Structure formats: structure tokens, C-alpha cells
Amino acid sequence: MSSTFRMRRVALALATAAVLPLALVACSDDSDGEDGASGKKSTAARDDASKDAADDATKSADEPFGPACSSVPKDGAGSFDGMAKDPVATAASHNPALSTLVTAVKKAGLVDTLNNAENITVFAPTNDAFAKIPQKDLDEVLNDKAQLTSILTYHVVGQKLTPEALEDGSFPTLEKSRLRTSGSGESYEVNDSAAVVCGNVRTANANVYIIDSVLMPKK
């Protein structure tokens, strides 16, 4: 074999060795490009899904809950959206299930007090809650402004309470004594005697928890 032929073979081998890594790098870059794009798309999809889940959780946490919420009007001033636009006494007046409470608030002269208060929580007894009180006793309370005021202000806490705050809470009321709350999830009680039947209702100045019994302050 001539020296010229051997030199040509060596040169060809060296050229092949130089080109091969470049080809492999090019293939790797192409593959990474495709996989990278796919990976970025997957990551973006996961991020979007996580954001949607977080948004849904926040939305769910902000929504009213409880069996009596289904009886609230779907639209108009008495709906959840409508009540959120009005201060609490006005908002309650648009809810048919709270008509007895509204009558009591008017008799006690507390409409302006409640409407002008800022960042409060109202535990609002339903008509059925008032119906548990014997009619004679209820009439006496409704006609005794001092006693009525004491009972109604016992249902008001001077801060906005979230559902989480009710899990194991004790709060001073406008009546100057305290009430206790307990529960979790969508099941809460006040003073172990009144159940929240529609909670986390928003008004312009208050969070409202509709309850199934009237609370009585300790004498």
C-alpha cells in the first residue's frame, strides 16, 4: 500500500471523527428543542391547572354555605349579590326568612346603628328561630325595648368573622358579654344551642351567619 493511499485513509478517518460529534450535537439539540417545547407546554398546563384549582378554592371559600342558603332568592335585592350591596339591616329586610328579626331591629331602634357600623358580624335568627319562643314571651320581649336591645346586640360581634374563625372561638358582643362558636367545614354552632343554617353571607358592612335559634345573653 502506497504512502499516498495511507495518508488519504488517515485523513478520511480524521474527517469522519470530526463530523460525527457535530452530527450528534445537532441531533441532541433538535431533540431537546422538541422535548423542551413539550416540557414547557406541560409545565404551563400544570401551572394553569394549579391556578384554576386555587381560584376555585378561593371562590368556594368566599361563597355562602348551609342548607338554608337554597331558600335565598336567586336574584334581586334579597339575593346574595343584592345583599352584598346594602348595609346589614337593609340587606336583611330584603330576605323573607329574616322578617321577624327585621321587625325586632326596627322596634329596638337599631337600624341606623347596624347600618352605620363597620366590619361587624351578625348572627341572624330566622323566622323559625323566633317561632321557637312562646308567642306570649315573644310579644313581651318585642314590647320591652331595653330587653330587646340587649338580646339583639348580643347577636352582633364587632369584627368580621370568617368561617375558620368560628372553629373554636369566643367573641365579645355589642351587648358586652361573650358568645362562643365551634365547628368546622360547613357545620358550626353558636353557644352549643344555635346551628348556622346559612353562613358566610356578605353585606356591605358585615358578615352574616343565619342561625336556627335566638341567642339569649347571660343575666
Side-chain angles (χ1 to χ4, degrees):
M1 183 180 295
S2 67
S3 60
T4 300
F5 182 71
R6 285 197 300 270
M7 290 179 63
R8 286 179 179 176
R9 289 187 61 184
V10 170
L12 179 60
L14 290 174
T16 301
V19 171
L20 182 60
L22 294 176
L24 292 175
V25 169
C27 290
S28 176
D29 288 344
D30 288 344
S31 176
D32 288 347
E34 292 176 359
D35 292 345
S38 177
K40 289 178 181 178
K41 289 179 181 179
S42 298
T43 301
R46 287 195 299 271
D47 291 344
D48 288 344
S50 297
K51 182 177 182 300
D52 289 344
D55 290 344
D56 288 344
T58 300
K59 181 179 179 182
S60 177
D62 288 340
E63 291 178 350
F65 61 84
C69 291
S70 60
S71 64
V72 174
K74 301 301 181 184
D75 50 39
S79 66
F80 293 128
D81 289 340
M83 291 178 71
K85 298 175 183 177
D86 291 322
V88 64
T90 301
S93 70
H94 297 307
N95 188 324
L98 301 177
S99 59
T100 305
L101 173 63
V102 171
T103 297
V105 168
K106 289 179 178 177
K107 280 183 170 290
L110 292 174
V111 172
D112 289 341
T113 299
L114 294 177
N115 277 348
N116 293 329
E118 295 182 0
N119 299 323
I120 60 175
T121 295
V122 176
F123 293 93
T126 63
N127 295 344
D128 290 340
F130 281 99
K132 294 179 180 179
I133 302 173
Q135 189 61 48
K136 180 182 177 181
D137 295 339
L138 180 59
D139 289 341
E140 288 180 0
V141 170
L142 291 175
N143 290 301
D144 183 338
K145 187 174 180 179
Q147 184 180 8
L148 182 59
T149 299
S150 175
I151 291 172
L152 293 176
T153 53
Y154 184 64
H155 289 73
V156 183
V157 172
Q159 59 181 298
K160 282 188 175 181
L161 301 178
T162 63
E164 290 76 13
L166 304 185
E167 291 181 0
D168 184 15
S170 176
F171 308 99
T173 69
L174 297 193
E175 185 269 340
K176 304 301 183 185
S177 57
R178 303 180 76 88
L179 56 75
R180 294 172 292 102
T181 60
S182 59
S184 62
E186 295 187 357
S187 178
Y188 296 95
E189 288 191 346
V190 186
N191 289 351
D192 297 323
S193 62
V196 173
V197 294
C198 184
N200 208 30
V201 179
R202 308 299 179 87
T203 73
N205 67 328
N207 287 351
V208 178
Y209 293 87
I210 300 174
I211 55 178
D212 67 356
S213 295
V214 178
L215 304 173
M216 293 296 180
K218 294 181 179 179
K219 296 181 179 180

